[in-house]
Amino acid sequence: MRTCGIVIPLLLITYSLLVDAPISSRVLSFNDYMVVMVPWVLVSLVIYFLPASTQGGVIGRLLAYHLCAGAYIILIADFSIPFVTLGWLLLLLISYIYSSSRGLVINLLVLLLITTIDIMTHQGDTDRMLIDIIAVFSISIIGTVVISLNAIQQDDSDALLRSKLEETLQRDRLNTLINSLSDAVIGIDAEGRIEVYNAASLDLLNTNASLFGQPIDEIIKVQNQSGKEIRLFQSAAKTGRSRMRDDLSMTSGEETVRLSVTSSPIRSSFGSGKEATTPDGYVLILRDITKAKSLEEERDEFISVVSHELRTPITIAEGTLSNMELMVERGQIPPDTLEKSLANAHNQILFLSKMVNDLGTLSRAERGIADTPEEIDVKDLVNNLFSEYAPQAESKGLRFDIDMSGQLGTVTTSPLYLRELLQNLITNAIKYTKEGSVVLRAKQSGNNIIFEVKDTGIGISKGDQARIFDKFYRSEDYRTRETGGTGLGLYVTAKLARKIGTAIAVKSRLNHGSSFSFSLPGSPKE
Ligand code: ADP
């Protein structure tokens, strides 16, 4: 625009030099001509080289330029030359672009001023007056129309820009939302290629590589419960509506990840016909449900094993008692049969009560009931357990010893859990020892107290040592089978140990005895 400002007066000077006469309805000398043109060129040079930095500067420069152009029209040319009218129209548009409505007002005011001066200095020249009036009207009308069209276009492009900004904002919002989800969200096109995905998708697939444009069925290979490969895109396209299934799994490295997959079609066209029914793509939401599934399965398996374990003693006790009832009705029960049957039924009831106790302890430990830590005096605890179990050991002909070394002091933990844990180990030691001794030991080792229950019993084979903490596991050893047991004792014990922040270590040799130990942080005696 500023270049244009210089070009106009220079063009006029060159033209007048070439044709050797200024474009004028009046004949002026070359010097008079230059008196008008030189200031105009100077103003345009100022505008070009010293652009205005303030509003006032802009207005001043624009006004000076217009006045020079106005002087040219009054003194040299006039509006009878179409080139002059067009030139002024061009000036109006440039002023509008340069300084919007302010430029427009300056242009029209100067136009009014020069036509008024022109009319007044040429009074009686009706043709000239008419040309001036026509020039004012035509420039104003054409200028207004062009500027209005430009304003409309500007409004449209402003609206477009605003809607683009709004769209970007919406997209950013959506991106933030899907990226903050813990489920993998993947958008695919109508050909099954990935168009959008969130951070959780990369986590699930254990990759950092870009997924854009990749076919989903090659990236995520899943199978159903019977091991049949399921192609996610095909199954989403086949259903054609929103669908959730949680029977899928995927192999990720060594692990098998169980998945719940929800697929929903995206339909952006709401017209009638084929486009309305064919989705433009699909959104897949994949959730890792491995943990939930394994908990669910573990619970189902647990319920089925417990009911199986309960059924046998109940059936035996019920059968024995109903036999006895029959015999009582007949009035002929030999005393030793009665005694045996009663003992049998009693044993089964004892087993059931033990099982119910173990299950109760397990449930308490799982729900975290009674795990409030308290300060426990180690010596008191050991002495109490000794008095509680010495009679049981004695009745089996075993020696029961306690061995305490070091300062001992206290441990801070759940008293119920610690007691139940030690009770289970002592009961087992007495149960699985035919002769010899059982020792309950507490010794200080650094800041820790090590508890140990040691026996000279039947011992545990290497193979069994790996499994004795499994639920319902009982050794196949005939000496174990001679005793009653639920197979839950050590499972519960290990769980209690975890609850109080420790782990049980086993040392055992078949036929030579076993030792179960664990350690807890202790505080020395005050
Ligand atoms: P239960 O004693 O009711 O069978 P546990 O879970 O307490 O169940 O023990 C699991 C198995 O570990 C027992 O069946 C037994 O074979 C073995 N076991 C546990 N403690 C001892 C021990 N002190 N000596 C030898 N074997 C043991």
Side-chain angles (χ1 to χ4, degrees):
M1 268 180 322
R2 283 184 286 140
T3 319
C4 225
I6 303 181
V7 168
I8 293 173
L10 288 180
L11 216 71
L12 289 171
I13 294 171
T14 319
Y15 178 76
S16 66
L17 283 175
L18 284 177
V19 297
D20 198 23
I23 324 155
S24 171
S25 48
R26 277 143 293 173
V27 182
L28 287 180
S29 71
F30 187 72
N31 284 350
D32 291 344
Y33 180 71
M34 289 316 277
V35 166
V36 176
M37 297 311 282
V38 169
W40 193 1
V41 173
L42 287 177
V43 169
S44 62
L45 285 174
V46 168
I47 293 177
Y48 187 82
F49 288 110
L50 300 168
S53 53
T54 59
Q55 294 287 355
V58 171
I59 293 171
R61 280 166 175 74
L62 213 56
L63 197 60
Y65 194 90
H66 274 84
L67 290 175
C68 292
Y72 176 84
I73 290 169
I74 292 170
L75 299 171
I76 300 169
D78 60 45
F79 285 117
S80 61
I81 304 164
F83 175 68
V84 173
T85 315
L86 278 178
W88 194 271
L89 196 63
L90 189 70
L91 189 60
L92 178 133
L93 296 176
I94 291 174
S95 310
Y96 177 72
I97 297 169
Y98 187 59
S99 186
S100 68
S101 50
R102 237 177 292 115
L104 185 72
V105 171
I106 290 173
N107 182 283
L108 291 178
L109 281 179
V110 175
L111 177 67
L112 225 56
L113 181 75
I114 57 171
T115 45
T116 314
I117 295 173
D118 201 44
I119 290 168
M120 279 168 62
T121 49
H122 298 92
Q123 276 175 6
D125 186 345
T126 39
D127 283 355
R128 195 176 176 104
M129 197 167 96
L130 209 66
I131 288 171
D132 279 345
I133 293 170
I134 291 171
V136 169
F137 271 101
S138 53
I139 289 171
S140 314
I141 289 169
I142 297 175
T144 315
V145 168
V146 172
I147 286 164
S148 308
L149 287 176
N150 180 58
I152 291 170
Q153 202 185 12
Q154 188 65 41
D155 280 356
D156 284 354
S157 69
D158 283 355
L160 196 70
L161 189 73
R162 269 200 305 279
S163 85
K164 269 192 181 156
L165 283 174
E166 184 64 28
E167 195 187 309
T168 315
L169 185 71
Q170 292 281 24
R171 206 185 43 230
D172 289 350
R173 256 189 223 136
L174 211 64
N175 278 346
T176 314
L177 185 75
I178 67 165
N179 271 324
S180 57
L181 292 177
S182 55
D183 293 348
V185 180
I186 300 176
I188 53 173
D189 64 12
E191 261 85 53
R193 293 183 182 277
I194 299 176
E195 282 188 321
V196 59
Y197 56 91
N198 65 351
S201 313
L202 296 175
D203 288 349
L204 182 74
L205 297 172
N206 197 14
T207 177
N208 275 331
S210 166
L211 305 180
F212 286 115
Q214 309 259 33
I216 184 111
D217 287 332
E218 279 175 27
I219 294 290
I220 307 178
K221 295 198 184 297
V222 294
Q223 51 241 266
N224 65 9
Q225 273 171 330
S226 41
K228 187 172 167 251
E229 190 186 329
I230 301 292
R231 299 179 77 81
L232 287 175
F233 169 57
Q234 275 180 10
S235 102
K238 205 160 85 192
T239 325
R241 58 190 163 78
S242 208
R243 186 187 175 196
M244 199 276 267
R245 55 189 297 182
D246 63 358
D247 61 336
L248 301 177
S249 61
M250 176 184 92
T251 316
S252 168
E254 302 267 285
E255 287 173 55
T256 300
V257 179
R258 312 280 292 265
L259 290 176
S260 115
V261 179
T262 308
S263 64
S264 310
I266 310 165
R267 286 194 180 90
S268 60
S269 59
F270 293 97
S272 55
K274 200 168 176 291
E275 307 90 66
T277 48
T278 315
D280 298 298
Y282 302 87
V283 170
L284 304 176
I285 302 174
L286 294 92
R287 175 176 294 176
D288 181 349
I289 51 166
T290 316
K291 210 166 168 192
K293 277 278 174 196
S294 67
L295 279 176
E296 203 177 288
E297 282 167 7
E298 203 177 311
R299 198 194 56 208
D300 289 352
E301 189 208 315
F302 190 75
I303 292 173
S304 112
V305 174
V306 168
S307 55
H308 172 82
E309 294 290 327
L310 290 176
R311 202 173 305 128
T312 316
I314 290 173
T315 313
I316 298 173
E318 197 273 332
T320 314
L321 291 172
S322 79
N323 262 347
M324 280 170 56
E325 220 172 28
L326 211 69
M327 287 194 257
V328 169
E329 263 173 33
R330 289 190 195 143
Q332 28 136 331
I333 315 178
D336 58 330
T337 312
L338 180 67
E339 202 180 318
K340 256 198 215 154
S341 298
L342 272 177
N344 193 7
H346 187 213
N347 279 342
Q348 299 307 324
I349 302 291
L350 283 179
F351 174 87
L352 285 174
S353 117
K354 169 95 174 76
M355 171 87 90
V356 170
N357 271 344
D358 285 347
L359 289 174
T361 314
L362 183 64
S363 147
R364 270 201 307 278
E366 268 170 358
R367 282 179 295 147
I369 293 174
D371 60 359
T372 326
E374 277 174 34
E375 212 173 6
I376 305 160
D377 188 287
V378 178
K379 278 187 182 154
D380 285 354
L381 175 71
V382 171
N383 285 326
N384 273 336
L385 286 167
F386 175 76
S387 348
E388 193 179 335
Y389 286 95
Q392 205 176 315
E394 202 183 328
S395 71
K396 260 193 95 178
L398 300 173
R399 238 183 30 248
F400 187 30
D401 297 327
I402 48 177
D403 174 5
M404 292 191 265
S405 56
Q407 274 287 64
L408 292 181
T410 59
V411 288
T412 303
T413 186
S414 154
L416 188 78
Y417 290 176
L418 178 59
R419 206 181 164 79
E420 264 171 5
L421 201 162
L422 285 167
Q423 279 173 331
N424 277 353
L425 295 180
I426 299 169
T427 325
N428 274 353
I430 297 174
K431 186 158 76 175
Y432 298 112
T433 305
K434 288 196 166 165
E435 54 190 34
S437 65
V438 170
V439 182
L440 170 60
R441 184 169 288 140
K443 75 172 181 222
Q444 195 174 350
S445 165
N447 289 332
N448 291 334
I449 310 280
I450 299 175
F451 292 90
E452 185 188 10
V453 179
K454 196 169 170 6
D455 64 56
T456 56
I458 61 172
I460 308 163
S461 70
K462 274 266 174 279
D464 278 346
Q465 281 178 37
R467 304 190 56 194
I468 50 175
F469 293 101
D470 293 353
K471 57 181 172 288
F472 299 111
Y473 183 77
R474 301 205 74 211
S475 167
E476 293 297 330
D477 190 304
Y478 73 98
R479 292 164 298 180
T480 297
R481 294 291 156 162
E482 278 172 0
T483 64
T486 61
L488 271 177
L490 285 182
Y491 175 71
V492 174
T493 308
K495 189 151 257 188
L496 293 173
R498 274 201 300 279
K499 279 268 164 192
I500 60 172
T502 184
I504 297 171
V506 191
K507 277 193 205 140
S508 183
R509 250 180 81 200
L510 209 54
N511 305 323
H512 285 82
S514 315
S515 140
F516 289 79
S517 62
F518 60 93
S519 103
L520 286 174
S523 315
K525 232 182 175 92
E526 298 280 296

